[in-house]
Amino acid sequence: MKNFVAVFIFLIGNMFLSQVYASQPEKENIINISGIVFDSKSLLPIENVNIYNEKGDVIAKTDSKGYFIGKLQYANKEGIKFKIKLEKKGYLSFTQTENWADFKKGNINTIYYFGIKKANEASDVDSFSQFIFSSDLSFKSASNNFENVLEKLRFNKTINNLRKSSQKSFFEINNSYYLISDTGWIKLESPKSLIYIDTLKKISAENINSTLQRKDIKDILHTDDGEIKITMYTVEK
């Protein structure tokens, strides 16, 4: 009889604990977020941009430097999922959807850089975003890395402008040399860097523009023979 009572009490206790745990809300974790919002074309900071969470609550607003700081909550279940929405009068609204693996527990610190596009503006530069993980979310920290972001954006803009200007593949940019396809680019050591065309014809980079047009390039890649050589494949016709 004593054994029966003990088992009965044990089962009742487990049922009670299960109900307690089931009724508890799922643990919420915090993403501390800061960043800079800027015009995707001019790359100038934008003031008074509202930053919303997935529920539609305003979590931050940019200042005169385009800087913002706020917090997001996420449920620690099947990875880290959340959305960030940006709205500013005169600009297209922009939503960033994230779905990260659950690579770390607890609070996360990240800096975002949002480039948003003006409404009704004829521009081939769409809205975009970049982010980094950082323990320092201050404006100084965000601003320091922002210069690196802008440098990459300016370089990509230069590359895109060169693609529009001609069908050339070899270019000198700021005293450096590049081989450019329609989908990528490779930095070369010098104009004398060797180029293999379909692994058959070998010429120096400075002569590639007189040999083929960029639209005929299927792929560019580094070879693995110790020297700086580029292999180019022409599209089959």
Side-chain angles (χ1 to χ4, degrees):
M1 183 67 179
K2 291 182 179 180
N3 290 338
F4 174 79
V5 172
V7 171
F8 178 77
I9 293 174
F10 175 77
L11 291 174
I12 293 297
N14 277 349
M15 290 174 61
F16 174 76
L17 290 175
S18 297
Q19 290 178 352
V20 169
Y21 286 128
S23 63
Q24 288 181 344
E26 189 176 356
K27 182 181 178 181
E28 294 290 325
N29 294 279
I30 299 298
I31 299 177
N32 298 303
I33 178 176
S34 72
I36 298 176
V37 182
F38 52 95
D39 186 288
S40 62
K41 184 177 181 180
S42 68
L43 305 182
L44 295 176
I46 306 174
E47 186 178 6
N48 293 327
V49 179
N50 287 324
I51 318 293
Y52 298 87
N53 62 16
E54 194 165 354
K55 297 179 181 179
D57 303 320
V58 177
I59 62 168
K61 178 178 286 190
T62 59
D63 60 17
S64 60
K65 299 177 182 178
Y67 173 74
F68 68 90
I69 186 166
K71 292 184 178 181
L72 287 166
Q73 287 187 329
Y74 71 92
N76 189 11
K77 182 181 180 181
E78 296 180 355
I80 299 170
K81 300 178 182 180
F82 62 94
K83 291 182 180 181
I84 309 169
K85 186 176 182 179
L86 283 71
E87 287 192 347
K88 163 75 175 180
K89 186 176 180 180
Y91 284 82
L92 298 176
S93 62
F94 179 75
T95 300
Q96 179 74 23
T97 301
E98 299 288 12
N99 187 0
W100 301 341
D102 190 6
F103 56 90
K104 60 190 299 183
K105 303 294 183 182
N107 295 351
I108 299 172
N109 299 323
T110 183
I111 299 177
Y112 271 89
Y113 300 92
F114 293 106
I116 58 176
K117 183 177 180 179
K118 285 184 178 179
N120 302 320
E121 181 178 55
S123 172
D124 57 353
V125 182
D126 293 323
S127 300
F128 58 89
S129 69
Q130 295 185 24
F131 75 91
I132 61 170
F133 294 110
S134 175
S135 59
D136 185 356
L137 300 183
S138 66
F139 172 73
K140 182 177 180 180
S141 175
S143 179
N144 287 340
N145 191 70
F146 186 47
E147 292 303 316
N148 295 329
V149 172
L150 289 180
E151 184 177 350
K152 292 178 181 177
L153 292 173
R154 292 188 186 105
F155 180 78
N156 289 335
K157 187 175 181 179
T158 298
I159 294 292
N160 289 332
N161 287 337
L162 291 174
R163 288 189 178 115
K164 294 177 183 178
S165 65
S166 72
Q167 279 295 315
K168 293 181 180 180
S169 300
F170 173 75
F171 292 95
E172 180 181 352
I173 306 173
N174 297 329
N175 299 318
S176 296
Y177 304 96
Y178 298 86
L179 188 66
I180 300 172
S181 71
D182 284 339
T183 57
W185 55 267
I186 291 180
K187 187 176 182 179
L188 306 173
E189 282 192 348
S190 77
K192 304 296 182 181
S193 296
L194 296 178
I195 307 296
Y196 286 88
I197 301 176
D198 291 336
T199 70
L200 299 177
K201 186 176 181 180
K202 180 175 68 175
I203 62 174
S204 62
E206 60 189 354
N207 294 323
I208 196 71
N209 290 334
S210 60
T211 304
L212 52 74
Q213 292 187 315
R214 193 181 66 253
K215 65 180 181 179
D216 294 325
I217 300 174
K218 180 180 180 182
D219 195 12
I220 56 175
L221 53 90
H222 283 96
T223 60
D224 190 24
D225 56 5
E227 296 183 30
I228 297 182
K229 297 179 180 179
I230 309 297
T231 301
M232 301 180 65
Y233 298 96
T234 56
V235 178
E236 295 182 3
K237 298 180 179 180

